[in-house]
Amino acid sequence: MNVAEWILVVILSVTLFVFLIIGIVLLVKLIGLSKEVKKVVIESQDIAKNANGIVNNVKGMTSIGGTIQMFVDKYINPKLKEKVKEEKEKKDGGNK
């Protein structure tokens, strides 16, 4: 081979080697970053659950919230359960 060809081969080899090392380092950093993102997502879900619990407690403490919750529990939920039971009985009766 000619000297110019050897120089081109060396330059290409060194360039590919550098990009390989940079790619490996970048991949390792991205894996670490994905682990940190997973921790943040889990923590944010926990915070959202706690906030939901606080909202439910405050809703129960207010006069309007307590009244509405009592109304829903005593009147609406039994009616909904009754309707669901009737729908289920209709489906079971029609399938037999």
Side-chain angles (χ1 to χ4, degrees):
M1 281 178 39
N2 202 354
V3 175
E5 293 171 343
W6 278 106
I7 292 172
L8 286 174
V9 168
V10 168
I11 290 172
L12 286 173
S13 298
V14 169
T15 305
L16 289 173
F17 179 73
V18 168
F19 279 117
L20 178 67
I21 297 299
I22 290 173
I24 291 172
V25 169
L26 182 64
L27 184 63
V28 169
K29 293 286 185 181
L30 285 175
I31 290 172
L33 182 65
S34 69
K35 289 180 183 178
E36 290 297 319
V37 167
K38 185 176 181 181
K39 289 178 187 177
V40 168
V41 167
I42 290 172
E43 187 68 26
S44 64
Q45 286 175 345
D46 188 40
I47 290 170
K49 286 179 185 176
N50 289 338
N52 191 20
I54 291 170
V55 167
N56 284 335
N57 287 340
V58 170
K59 182 177 70 174
M61 284 186 231
T62 60
S63 62
I64 295 174
T67 304
I68 291 173
Q69 187 173 6
M70 181 189 69
F71 179 76
V72 167
D73 289 340
K74 287 194 175 188
Y75 298 107
I76 296 177
N77 282 342
K79 296 278 185 184
L80 289 175
K81 288 179 184 177
E82 186 178 306
K83 288 286 184 184
V84 169
K85 188 176 179 181
E86 288 175 7
E87 295 280 327
K88 193 173 185 180
E89 287 175 359
K90 283 182 182 177
K91 286 183 181 180
D92 289 341
N95 290 337
K96 291 181 180 179

